[in-house]
Amino acid sequence: MSVDPALFELAKTLESGQPWPRPVCPKCQTGHVGFSAPTEHPHFMSPEEQEHMDPEWISGTFTIHGQCENPECQQVVHGTGDYSVGVSQKSWVEDDEYYSVYYTITHLHPPILMMAAPKAATDEVKHAIARASRVLFVDPGLAATALRATVEVFLTSQDIASTGANGAFRSAHDRIREWGDADSARPQLADLFFAVKWLGNAGTHEVSDLTAIQVLDGARVLDEAFHRLFTAPDIDAHAKALNTGKGPTANP
């Protein structure tokens, strides 16, 4: 499974009147979460401000309620965020729709996974992906750092030592290079890990301006690396079995 396109849409500012994205359910991973209309909670304005109010001064926070559409799951997802009023960006605007409300998600609980962990991955890798997903909207820079940590957790599961002989922590760069050099088939995969590492480095800067969409692009790179490592070999093995048996076996 690749990175859910609905997450990219949720990472954008959404204009009132457009359908809300329906991400894959974080619990069952088969159903989609449908959201109801947001409930707005406007910031306080004094009577004087209200008297001379311009519509574009209106802003506040909002809450949103979602639920998995899979009848056997029905997981509830709660969201919060910020909203403001601005000139409509719709291609058509009626007289009474010159302004629109713009919503920006800042938190979802339970979090929508940025990427599905391969079944063959260790529990530690799965937990690392969930950790990065929890802060995607709250702090994209921190999410990028956690995504880099996911690579390091994977390297640990591959017996690539996290500390040197002197007990000091090794850099992610050195560990990725060691893993890539250990097998002639790995250099291209190592390049994918390096890309996630560089994204994580950008997230750790004192002033990070990474966006959730940029982090999701990084998750897409990591997802491709894990696909090649875990999923593709299984598919190749299945194809080989089909070719050898000239068709499916009785008990696939």
Side-chain angles (χ1 to χ4, degrees):
M1 172 182 167
S2 60
V3 177
D4 188 352
L7 266 181
F8 281 95
E9 294 304 312
L10 280 172
K12 301 175 183 178
T13 298
L14 299 168
E15 185 175 1
S16 56
Q18 70 180 104
W20 276 73
R22 296 167 54 253
V24 174
C25 175
K27 181 180 179 182
C28 69
Q29 290 290 300
T30 55
H32 290 79
V33 177
F35 288 102
S36 59
T39 300
E40 297 165 7
H41 309 279
H43 291 145
F44 172 78
M45 297 182 72
S46 67
E48 292 79 9
E49 290 173 317
Q50 293 180 36
E51 183 179 355
H52 304 286
M53 182 184 68
D54 184 294
E56 294 187 59
W57 296 356
I58 300 173
S59 64
T61 60
F62 72 90
T63 55
I64 195 165
H65 172 87
Q67 188 166 22
C68 178
E69 296 165 349
N70 177 358
E72 297 180 358
C73 176
Q74 298 186 20
Q75 171 68 47
V76 170
V77 175
H78 294 288
T80 59
D82 300 310
Y83 80 89
S84 60
V85 173
V87 176
S88 177
Q89 298 298 312
K90 297 173 183 175
S91 58
W92 55 270
V93 179
E94 296 182 357
D95 291 341
D96 60 345
E97 292 189 343
Y98 184 76
Y99 293 101
S100 288
V101 181
Y102 292 92
Y103 303 97
T104 302
I105 285 283
T106 58
H107 184 65
L108 289 174
H109 182 78
I112 307 297
L113 290 177
M114 280 197 281
M115 50 183 282
K119 292 181 180 179
T122 64
D123 286 342
E124 289 77 13
V125 169
K126 294 174 183 177
H127 291 158
I129 292 173
R131 176 183 174 223
S133 301
R134 282 197 295 271
V135 293
L136 173 63
F137 298 107
V138 177
D139 189 335
L142 185 58
T145 303
L147 207 60
R148 183 190 67 181
T150 303
V151 173
E152 298 215 54
V153 170
F154 166 76
L155 294 173
T156 298
S157 74
Q158 296 285 296
D159 297 324
I160 304 298
S162 59
T163 57
N166 61 358
F169 284 105
R170 300 175 62 197
S171 70
H173 198 95
D174 287 345
R175 298 181 72 201
I176 294 171
R177 180 186 292 117
E178 178 185 340
W179 180 85
D181 291 345
D183 189 318
S184 60
R186 290 178 179 176
Q188 288 186 326
L189 288 171
D191 284 344
L192 298 178
F193 287 144
F194 278 130
V196 177
K197 186 219 71 167
W198 287 118
L199 180 73
N201 286 1
T204 61
H205 291 165
E206 183 176 349
V207 179
S208 173
D209 58 356
L210 285 179
T211 66
I213 289 179
Q214 289 173 317
V215 177
L216 288 169
D217 278 330
R220 187 159 53 184
V221 173
L222 183 57
D223 179 77
E224 176 61 22
F226 283 167
H227 173 80
R228 296 186 195 179
L229 277 167
F230 295 106
T231 308
D234 289 342
I235 294 175
D236 290 343
H238 182 56
K240 184 177 180 180
L242 287 171
N243 289 331
T244 300
K246 295 183 170 54
T249 60
N251 297 300

